[in-house]
Amino acid sequence: MLENLESNYDCSRAGDDLHQLKQELAALRGLGAEDTETQERINRMENQISFIMNKCDINR
């Protein structure tokens, strides 16, 4: 998970960051854990992915 995503995010890093985030997200989902902390991490990663895709105008 990325620590700080801000409005000045450098889109040249988007490819690597999205790849990393999607791998981490898949791993977390694969655990099948449904506790609050894990769900919050999943939500944050999904938000980070959406932020990068919107900021850098990347289509799914």
Side-chain angles (χ1 to χ4, degrees):
M1 181 166 29
L2 301 175
E3 290 303 315
N4 295 318
L5 283 179
E6 299 176 6
S7 60
N8 63 349
Y9 177 77
D10 181 2
C11 288
S12 68
R13 298 179 21 204
D16 290 336
D17 287 346
L18 284 173
H19 179 73
Q20 176 187 348
L21 284 167
K22 288 178 179 182
Q23 283 186 322
E24 290 179 32
L25 182 59
L28 268 180
R29 286 181 173 157
L31 294 175
E34 296 184 15
D35 59 273
T36 303
E37 182 179 334
T38 302
Q39 189 57 51
E40 286 175 1
R41 288 189 68 203
I42 288 171
N43 290 343
R44 181 163 179 191
M45 283 185 198
E46 290 173 338
N47 289 340
Q48 288 179 331
I49 290 168
S50 292
F51 172 85
I52 293 171
M53 293 181 78
N54 288 331
K55 168 79 176 166
C56 302
D57 198 26
I58 298 171
N59 296 321
R60 293 187 186 255

